[in-house]
Amino acid sequence: MPFVELDTNLPAGRVPAGLEKRLCAATAAILSKPEDRVNVTLRPGLAMAVNGSTDPCAQLSISSIGVVGTAEENRGHSARFFEFLTKEMGLGQDRIIIRFFPLEPWQIGKKGTVMTFL
């Protein structure tokens, strides 16, 4: 059950239409998770600075159970997410930051319980 949050200082009008849907599909493919379990939040128009600059930038946060827990896994994920974001958003790799957060099943609530019991 991946949670993906894309923050950017690009105004909403400069974010490609349907990006959240394509990011959902890309996340499912990259993390080998069913698309109907991927949750995406897109927040454009934020006050942001990356590397000390307010030039167009983005920060992607990815939280998931079982697939973002090692450097080796995240190196591969990172390459694929960077490829997707640079193409979709027209940003250079130096303007994008990705953060990975491993989750445990007991940290996700669903259907009145937690994923541990589903």
Side-chain angles (χ1 to χ4, degrees):
M1 181 166 241
F3 297 89
V4 178
E5 299 176 26
L6 179 59
D7 296 331
T8 182
N9 62 356
L10 290 174
R14 285 196 47 206
V15 173
L19 178 60
E20 65 280 0
K21 183 81 171 135
R22 289 189 302 282
L23 180 56
C24 184
T27 298
I30 292 167
L31 300 182
S32 299
K33 296 282 189 173
E35 189 172 345
D36 65 353
R37 293 201 179 162
V38 177
N39 302 282
V40 172
T41 302
L42 173 60
R43 289 184 286 265
L46 299 176
M48 293 178 63
V50 167
N51 301 327
S53 169
T54 58
D55 288 346
C57 61
Q59 179 176 271
L60 184 68
S61 298
I62 303 159
S63 306
S64 189
I65 298 169
V67 294
V68 296
T70 70
E72 291 77 17
E73 288 172 325
N74 291 343
R75 178 173 46 189
H77 300 329
S78 184
R80 293 179 69 190
F81 278 112
F82 269 99
E83 181 181 351
F84 174 83
L85 291 173
T86 55
K87 179 181 174 186
E88 285 282 338
M89 299 182 77
L91 299 175
Q93 287 191 357
D94 63 329
R95 303 304 304 151
I96 300 168
I97 299 292
I98 300 176
R99 298 185 302 157
F100 296 96
F101 300 96
L103 295 173
E104 296 295 330
W106 55 265
Q107 293 175 303
I108 307 297
K110 186 173 180 179
K111 298 183 180 179
T113 186
V114 292
M115 293 300 294
T116 304
F117 302 108
L118 292 177

